[in-house]
Amino acid sequence: MRAQPKVEPFRVGIARMSESSAATVGMAIERFARDQFAIVSSKLAQVLIVDADRIIGRETLQGLSAEHPGIPLVVLSSSEIQTDNGLVLKKPVSIQGVLEAVRNIRARAAVAADPAPTQPIDSGAGKIEDAGQPTPAARAPEQARKPAAVEHATPARKPRISREDDCCGDAEDILVQGRPDKFDRARTHFDDRSGLLGAFRAAVDHGRVHGKAVTVTGLSDALYVDAGTAGQPARVITRLDDGALRAACAPDAGTTLQFYTIAAVPQSSKDWRRIGLESMLWNLSLWSSQGRLPNAIDAHARVRLTRWPNFTRCAVTPQALRIAALWVTRFLTPIEVAKVLGVPQRYVLALCAAADAAGLLERQAIAAAESADTLAPAALPAAPAPTRGLFRRILGKLLHAR
Amino acid sequence: MRAKRNHHKIVFTGPVGAGKTTAIASISDIEPVRTDASASDMTIKRKNNTTVAMDYGMLRLPGGEKVMLYGTPGQERFDFMWEILTEGGIGLVLLLDNTRVQPLQDMRFFLDAFRDFVARTQVVIGITHSDEKATPSLSEYHSALRAHGIERPVPIFEADARSFDDVSLLVRSLLHSLDPGLEDADA
Ligand SMILES: Nc1nc2c(ncn2[C@@H]2O[C@H](COP(=O)(O)OP(=O)(O)OP(=O)(O)O)[C@@H](O)[C@H]2O)c(=O)[nH]1
Ligand SMILES: [Mg+2]
């Protein structure tokens, strides 16, 4: 390989991002592009990666931009938004997509600094794909290598606001009530027996059968499941944070996972985080689902939640409290829930997948389902409760109080 | 009976040390206040002159509206004043300390004490101190509720009273349970 002059790393800042997402981006840069990019504080950054879904209250994307004049943004968003100062990536984003966008911005910056570059843009140590062919700034982003992920820069609109980190993918509603599925199941279903979720479940079963602790290997750090005792239910013991676990659930995580029993969870892990099995299964399924149903669940069959999920200890997706409040009271198909509440199907499918893995989903008995088949789901009362305005104000207060 | 306009309340209850004062402090806009018999009409003197103390905090809503957060005193024997506390209340947050000897028994005691209020409104249950003792599990609480004749689904979460997120989630789920049609304020 031809020796290249050492290039200063491009300085990347991270703003309005959950701790776990920020850690994931940091880890990815460390792993895939450490000699190209350096994470720095927002004030020193040459590009800012921003989670638009966490821009809340009065704050806007333009406001954030104004705080950092001249600094381009890579905006991650679950809704269709636009910015005139950078690139928007629609969630779910892959880490490679984020790195690609940062490279793209760097290429533009290089072009702006030197309109007729004679050298190719640095592509790191050679293991990183380069940013495409930098041409003068007028180049249409559609020509970028992943046109679906990188959208054209046009004037900004106000982003839709969502407090909870949206783990529900970005699929449009495609399931139709009462009609057999005609579309590609890959868009509505996922294989919950494979990947980290599948391996984890198998590991837990294996530990149960043998009455022993198990360890799952192949992740970036250790993960144990202790067997539990009468007074102490089985738990996961790990140093991995949610960002790392979520990344390991991605279909392209590329990890080979194995598990085996161990005599006991090592003493050295006594200060590591502990996660209840229900929460762990809930989260792994949610992150694997990306707004799709497990293969074994039929979008046209009525199910219900056997009880409220432990929402303080598992990931809360948008509208999850409403969906749960309804679905603990009656059997409904996922499509019906989305329709009755007027929420995107992907929110319901994701929650359904999580509840199924956590063991909180109950299928309606066939006989009951048949007799109920023709009945429309009991809709919510047409007239809103008189307290609704007050309740909305309290919710708004609690969601924006931090 | 209706609450005074622009003056609503949510009641926090549970046994001694469950985290009522702490939970109220976690989400209140004011420093929680402890009132005693001589300072408030909400307090009552027993014939033996025991002073009943009670906590309150407040959520200030836009436009001057207020939601009072009342914490019942931990001592179980003052139950007769709880009915007064609940008048016009939005709902009940019951905190149970998992390290106590019989937390399921505590749950039944408080649900009985607030039976009418819970029947009119809704209850959510926060299991505190579960970091110190993991059992009873949530499933056991849910089963015990059903065995106690409460068929209506009740949100029960592990909750650390010191955590804003946990206490706020308890209150949010109380509101969503009361009105599943209620949209998330962010939607
Ligand atoms: N470890 C742990 N401590 C908690 C938790 N919740 C509350 N605490 C602590 O428990 C202690 C008791 O909390 P309080 O808020 O005083 O309880 P209370 O219900 O108001 O008690 P009384 O007024 O005596 O009835 C405080 O030190 C809290 O910080 C929890 O989930 N875990
Ligand atoms: Mg107290």
Side-chain angles (χ1 to χ4, degrees):
Chain A
M1 196 172 64
R2 162 175 73 93
Q4 290 208 351
K6 178 98 182 115
V7 181
E8 280 282 296
F10 195 58
R11 298 188 303 274
V12 180
I14 295 178
R16 305 299 180 272
M17 204 173 283
S18 68
E19 233 174 79
S20 57
S21 305
T24 310
V25 172
M27 271 165 40
I29 287 184
E30 177 64 20
R31 181 155 161 220
F32 298 116
R34 68 192 297 175
D35 35 19
Q36 296 186 311
F37 307 134
I39 298 277
V40 297
S41 77
S42 307
K43 287 205 169 57
L44 300 173
Q46 292 168 288
V47 61
L48 270 183
I49 306 177
V50 182
D51 184 348
D53 295 340
R54 293 179 76 91
I55 294 181
I56 56 166
R58 296 239 177 89
E59 196 186 20
T60 60
L61 203 51
Q62 297 99 299
L64 184 77
S65 234
E67 266 176 60
H68 304 277
I71 305 302
L73 307 178
V74 171
V75 182
L76 317 183
S77 169
S78 57
S79 54
E80 301 284 348
I81 60 165
Q82 296 177 317
T83 172
D84 52 2
N85 178 30
L87 297 170
V88 177
L89 302 186
K90 183 112 188 290
K91 292 180 183 176
V93 296
S94 69
I95 205 65
Q96 290 302 345
V98 175
L99 294 181
E100 172 108 15
V102 175
R103 282 187 202 113
N104 214 312
I105 298 258
R106 184 188 55 178
R108 290 183 189 189
V111 168
D114 177 3
T118 51
Q119 292 277 318
I121 300 296
D122 164 50
S123 62
K127 57 182 189 275
I128 309 284
E129 296 168 300
D130 91 17
Q133 294 308 304
T135 53
R139 183 191 66 169
E142 289 79 59
Q143 288 168 256
R145 199 141 21 81
K146 283 194 183 141
V150 181
E151 291 174 8
H152 189 34
T154 38
R157 266 188 289 137
K158 205 170 172 234
R160 205 208 62 198
I161 294 160
S162 154
R163 174 128 206 161
E164 274 99 14
D165 199 4
D166 185 345
C167 319
C168 305
D170 63 353
E172 301 288 329
D173 287 6
I174 53 170
L175 294 164
V176 182
Q177 197 141 353
R179 247 204 279 151
D181 310 347
K182 285 217 182 80
F183 35 78
D184 182 6
R185 270 179 75 85
R187 291 174 64 197
T188 54
H189 286 77
F190 75 105
D191 178 9
D192 60 333
R193 302 281 146 190
S194 69
L196 176 55
L197 174 61
F200 179 76
R201 282 172 141 166
V204 170
D205 289 346
H206 188 69
R208 249 185 220 137
V209 168
H210 292 89
K212 281 192 165 163
V214 282
T215 179
V216 178
T217 61
L219 295 161
S220 57
D221 209 329
L223 187 149
Y224 304 109
V225 185
D226 75 4
T229 58
Q232 177 60 64
R235 296 168 303 181
V236 174
I237 297 166
T238 183
R239 221 159 27 188
L240 292 161
D241 65 11
D242 282 353
L245 288 169
R246 187 171 167 181
C249 287
D252 54 1
T255 41
T256 307
L257 302 169
Q258 291 185 313
F259 55 85
Y260 46 90
T261 56
I262 47 177
V265 176
Q267 268 298 311
S268 56
S269 67
K270 70 178 190 308
D271 298 326
W272 297 6
R273 69 189 284 229
R274 276 148 167 72
I275 311 168
L277 274 193
E278 183 186 312
S279 305
M280 183 75 173
L281 286 163
W282 176 282
N283 287 356
L284 293 184
S285 184
L286 188 70
W287 296 326
S288 310
S289 139
Q290 289 291 323
R292 295 167 300 170
L293 287 173
N295 275 335
I297 295 204
D298 179 354
H300 303 286
R302 292 207 173 127
V303 292
R304 74 169 174 196
L305 298 183
T306 52
R307 62 169 170 82
W308 276 80
N310 189 17
F311 276 132
T312 50
R313 300 290 175 266
C314 60
V316 182
T317 43
Q319 312 285 339
L321 300 187
R322 295 182 69 197
I323 297 170
L326 176 68
W327 228 347
V328 288
T329 62
R330 64 196 91 164
F331 286 100
L332 293 168
T333 73
I335 306 171
E336 287 168 345
V337 171
K339 193 160 173 239
V340 169
L341 295 177
V343 304
Q345 285 177 356
R346 60 200 176 87
Y347 292 171
V348 180
L349 306 191
L351 186 136
C352 187
D356 181 49
L360 301 180
L361 207 64
E362 178 186 354
R363 286 148 176 85
Q364 192 173 31
I366 304 280
E370 274 167 1
S371 63
D373 211 17
T374 49
L375 298 176
L380 298 167
T387 46
R388 186 167 296 174
L390 169 67
F391 288 6
R392 277 189 68 91
R393 292 190 290 280
I394 300 175
L395 280 184
K397 164 84 188 180
L398 291 171
L399 286 167
H400 295 134
R402 276 185 298 189
Chain B
M1 258 165 296
R2 290 192 56 85
K4 261 187 278 167
R5 229 155 55 82
N6 297 337
H7 185 138
H8 314 281
K9 60 186 161 189
I10 296 174
V11 180
F12 288 67
T13 195
V16 177
K20 302 174 292 290
T21 306
T22 312
I24 289 172
S26 291
I27 60 168
S28 175
D29 289 325
I30 57 168
E31 274 294 307
V33 181
R34 293 205 88 168
T35 52
D36 66 22
S38 56
S40 164
D41 60 348
M42 296 303 297
T43 58
I44 289 167
K45 279 188 178 172
R46 301 274 289 177
K47 52 180 182 300
N48 62 3
N49 253 5
T50 312
T51 305
V52 180
M54 173 188 84
D55 308 316
Y56 76 82
M58 186 196 293
L59 292 179
R60 285 188 220 277
L61 303 183
E65 220 175 2
K66 291 170 186 166
V67 179
M68 307 305 290
L69 310 169
Y70 285 116
T72 63
Q75 294 94 327
E76 295 169 4
R77 63 184 181 278
F78 299 119
D79 57 314
F80 70 90
M81 75 167 241
W82 293 350
E83 270 316 301
I84 306 170
L85 253 188
T86 62
E87 277 173 26
I90 291 171
L92 183 68
V93 178
L94 169 55
L95 299 177
L96 297 170
D97 174 352
N98 228 25
T99 64
R100 275 173 50 101
V101 184
Q102 291 194 307
L104 297 174
Q105 182 53 39
D106 291 339
M107 176 174 78
R108 289 187 282 265
F109 173 86
F110 282 93
L111 289 175
D112 287 347
F114 284 97
R115 191 188 300 120
D116 296 345
F117 183 44
V118 169
R120 289 200 300 275
T121 61
Q122 173 65 292
V123 58
V124 299
I125 301 180
I127 310 300
T128 60
H129 297 265
S130 60
D131 51 323
E132 295 167 304
K133 187 160 169 289
T135 53
S137 67
L138 293 186
S139 300
E140 289 171 88
Y141 279 102
H142 282 284
S143 308
L145 264 186
R146 253 172 264 132
H148 197 57
I150 297 189
E151 294 295 337
R152 190 163 45 142
V154 170
I156 308 181
F157 309 127
E158 291 171 51
D160 189 322
R162 299 164 296 183
S163 154
F164 170 88
D165 285 350
D166 286 6
V167 180
S168 146
L169 201 110
L170 283 168
V171 174
R172 287 165 60 199
S173 57
L174 175 70
L175 303 178
H176 284 296
S177 299
L178 282 161
D179 180 6
L182 176 68
E183 283 160 42
D184 267 342
D186 272 356

